[in-house]
Amino acid sequence: MTTLLEQRYRAVLRMLPADYRARWEEDMVDTYLCGVEEDEQELRRPSLAETASIAALAVRIRLGASGSSPRRVEAGEAIRQFALISVLLQAAGALTYTALGLRVAGAAQGSGDGGWSATFGADPLQVTVGLLPLLWAAGYAALVGGRRQAARGLVALAALPTLKPLVVQLTGGPAVLTAEALAAWAAVAAVCCGFHCEAPRTRLPFLPPGLALAGAGVAVGGAVVAWPMVADPAWGPGWVVVAAAAALLLGRLRAPERVAPATLWALGAAGVCVLLSRVDTLRFVVGAGVGPGLAVPWAAQAGALALAVAALCVSAARARRGVRSPAP
């Protein structure tokens, strides 16, 4: 006879993939019920720790844990690549915009101290919040260095300032831009879920980690310096995504075996996040009646990002079909 506790455990185990449950559900249920008296099984529920453990196991299995199917291994690799690319873009943007902001404010004030206070303010809490985005760079370094637990904490701290617009809007404040916050927390979620304890080491293709960060920072800075009037937080990273997409697609044409489908999917997903931020900003400024000086460059970037994302997705789909159906 099935007890209420057994039914509850089986309901929680439905978070696991069907093929995994078919192999291990009975053993897991027997293990959970072991030592529990039958009369108590009508009163007890799965503990929060047990539910969280099963949920974590479900994430690991779906993202390439040992024994996972090739499709899940590829999905896990794509999530980890997306996490690396997203954190890289966030780090390059934070470092570059902070450095340029200090330089501009310092020049306007005539001293380094003036530049610091003009950029971050004088209040210690405001300074702390202003410096938190720099932890994206520390999180990126922790990821590429294999320190996954530290990386999770660092990227979560770095993303905290993006919650302010969401809180303002949810508490009845004026409409603000929220896509940037969603992109930041998507990166945090990818780091927490993708880099689990059984995940293999993940590297960006073609470039060493340090060179990739330096190159992205230079590209973001160049885009900001070239078009300072339209340089919002998505401006520099947007052109980095477009340039990286062009490089990946060209590299795939020359050496298809060097560019995995997971990398194409990951860069495409990162491009979608930047594109959402760009569309959000464009919608906001157009609604506010801003002239074409801002709208036209941002619309052009939105079009370039959309084309890059579409090309990446098409190339990834074709690459995956090639992997699934190899030539005899």
Side-chain angles (χ1 to χ4, degrees):
M1 179 178 177
T2 303
T3 63
L4 186 58
L5 180 60
E6 181 179 346
Q7 294 176 6
R8 288 168 175 168
Y9 273 119
R10 291 188 186 277
V12 174
L13 290 172
R14 293 183 72 84
M15 290 188 291
L16 299 171
D19 57 343
Y20 189 89
R21 289 202 317 272
R23 293 173 57 192
W24 300 107
E25 182 176 9
E26 298 302 325
D27 290 341
M28 295 178 74
V29 169
D30 290 342
T31 301
Y32 286 128
L33 296 179
C34 182
V36 181
E37 298 294 337
E38 189 170 346
D39 55 346
E40 295 181 8
Q41 293 186 16
E42 301 299 325
L43 303 174
R44 294 181 55 176
R45 293 177 177 272
S47 68
L48 183 60
E50 290 171 336
T51 303
S53 175
I54 294 171
L57 176 61
V59 171
R60 291 200 305 271
I61 293 170
R62 287 184 167 88
L63 296 182
S66 58
S68 298
S69 65
R71 183 174 182 178
R72 289 174 185 150
V73 171
E74 181 182 337
E77 181 65 18
I79 291 293
R80 288 186 290 276
Q81 291 275 352
F82 167 74
L84 275 175
I85 294 170
S86 297
V87 174
L88 170 64
L89 291 175
Q90 295 281 356
L95 291 172
T96 303
Y97 284 114
T98 300
L100 291 176
L102 286 171
R103 181 180 177 184
V104 172
Q109 296 288 331
S111 68
D113 293 336
W116 178 271
S117 59
T119 303
F120 297 109
D123 180 57
L125 179 60
Q126 189 176 359
V127 173
T128 302
V129 173
L131 291 175
L132 279 179
L134 297 178
L135 293 179
W136 286 112
Y140 175 75
L143 274 183
V144 298
R147 302 178 63 184
R148 301 177 179 186
Q149 188 171 357
R152 296 187 194 104
L154 288 169
V155 298
L157 287 173
L160 281 178
T162 65
L163 290 177
K164 183 179 179 181
L166 294 176
V167 173
V168 169
Q169 190 160 325
L170 291 175
T171 54
V176 291
L177 304 177
T178 56
E180 183 181 352
L182 296 178
W185 286 99
V188 174
V191 170
C192 294
C193 295
F195 287 89
H196 52 80
C197 59
E198 298 182 44
R201 197 158 185 126
T202 302
R203 295 285 189 182
L204 291 171
F206 298 115
L207 292 177
L211 186 58
L213 179 59
V218 169
V220 170
V224 172
V225 172
W227 297 282
M229 296 302 296
V230 296
D232 68 334
W235 179 253
W239 291 119
V240 172
V241 170
V242 172
L248 272 183
L249 293 171
L250 181 60
R252 176 153 182 80
L253 287 175
R254 293 183 174 181
E257 69 282 354
R258 293 191 61 190
V259 182
T263 303
L264 298 169
W265 288 123
L267 184 58
V272 169
C273 290
V274 180
L275 178 60
L276 289 176
S277 182
R278 166 56 59 236
V279 171
D280 196 18
T281 308
L282 189 61
R283 173 192 57 81
F284 193 79
V285 299
V286 170
V290 177
L294 288 178
V296 171
W298 285 348
Q301 186 185 60
L305 281 167
L307 288 174
V309 168
L312 287 167
C313 292
V314 170
S315 181
R318 289 179 176 176
R320 190 178 178 202
R321 283 199 300 268
V323 171
R324 291 173 61 184
S325 304

